[in-house]
Amino acid sequence: MSNTEHESDRELSDDSNTKNSLYKKIAILSKKAQELSILCDIPLGLIIFCPGEVILWPTETQVKEIFEKYLSFPEFLRMPNLVTHESNLDKMMKAQEENITKMEQNNEEKKTELLFNEVVEGKSFYELDAEELKGLINLVALKKTKVDERKKQLHEQDEPIKGNDNNIGEKKDERLKN
């Protein structure tokens, strides 16, 4: 047997394995749909589009009845619960865009911090463009704010608590006065 015959046999077996797997999954889905229908006491139908065929569960007439009953409801009653693939994709896309924006901001902050380190190590300000300088100014302002907050915290910790016998600073002051 030649290589092409082996490849052809493999393709046929892969194709039949794929179809068998598909039909097994459809059987599992149908069983789950039946369980859900019984558990929730609701009419349920499946329409599955496979390559070259359409599979309807439980039967074609029952699926048509369920679908016609659904269509008989006014549109304003059936629309609030309807989630379309498009709206779901829109939500996912917006979430990804927000994630990308956060990542870009984080990336810019890291670049600015690296640039700050380069300037500290001796890089000239004349080598920087306006955007880089603006980023450095914002970074320095942010760092200054953090340093000021930390100074305030340390200052509050250093202040002795008045009326406390354990305050060494107050005891020294009293001894000096006497």
Side-chain angles (χ1 to χ4, degrees):
M1 230 187 246
S2 68
N3 283 343
T4 55
E5 290 175 2
H6 285 294
E7 289 175 9
S8 173
D9 289 343
R10 254 187 256 131
E11 287 176 10
L12 288 175
S13 70
D14 287 347
D15 190 38
S16 65
N17 287 341
T18 303
K19 281 188 177 184
N20 288 338
S21 177
L22 174 66
Y23 288 121
K24 285 179 185 177
K25 290 184 187 281
I26 289 172
I28 292 169
L29 180 64
S30 300
K31 184 177 178 183
K32 295 287 183 185
Q34 183 179 17
E35 291 172 0
L36 182 64
S37 177
I38 293 168
L39 182 65
C40 298
D41 193 28
I42 57 169
L44 192 79
L46 296 177
I47 303 173
I48 302 170
F49 296 95
C50 295
E53 65 180 311
V54 176
I55 299 173
L56 301 170
W57 179 89
T59 64
E60 183 177 346
T61 55
Q62 289 175 321
V63 170
K64 283 183 180 179
E65 287 173 10
I66 293 168
F67 192 65
E68 287 171 357
K69 184 177 179 182
Y70 169 75
L71 291 177
S72 70
F73 286 108
E75 191 171 336
F76 71 90
L77 289 177
R78 55 187 158 126
M79 289 307 283
N81 297 327
L82 182 66
V83 176
T84 63
H85 185 63
E86 183 180 357
S87 64
N88 194 30
L89 287 175
D90 284 342
K91 287 180 186 176
M92 289 172 47
M93 193 168 75
K94 286 179 184 176
Q96 287 294 338
E97 286 173 353
E98 290 174 5
N99 191 22
I100 288 171
T101 302
K102 288 178 185 176
M103 291 172 71
E104 285 174 345
Q105 289 173 344
N106 191 19
N107 191 23
E108 284 300 316
E109 289 172 5
K110 297 284 183 191
K111 282 182 183 179
T112 305
E113 286 181 15
L114 287 172
L115 186 61
F116 179 78
N117 291 337
E118 288 176 9
V119 168
V120 168
E121 291 174 0
K123 185 173 183 175
S124 174
F125 285 109
Y126 296 113
E127 298 174 27
L128 306 177
D129 64 14
E131 283 296 314
E132 292 173 331
L133 287 171
K134 185 178 178 183
L136 279 177
I137 290 169
N138 290 338
L139 180 67
V140 168
L142 180 67
K143 298 249 184 223
K144 183 181 181 314
T145 305
K146 286 182 180 179
V147 167
D148 290 343
E149 288 175 6
R150 184 67 180 142
K151 275 181 169 178
K152 185 178 177 183
Q153 288 175 350
L154 291 173
H155 183 67
E156 288 174 358
Q157 288 177 356
D158 286 345
E159 286 182 1
I161 301 173
K162 295 183 181 178
N164 189 348
D165 292 337
N166 294 329
N167 287 335
I168 297 171
E170 286 182 359
K171 289 181 181 179
K172 286 182 182 177
D173 290 341
E174 289 176 10
R175 288 184 202 148
L176 291 174
K177 288 180 183 177
N178 293 332

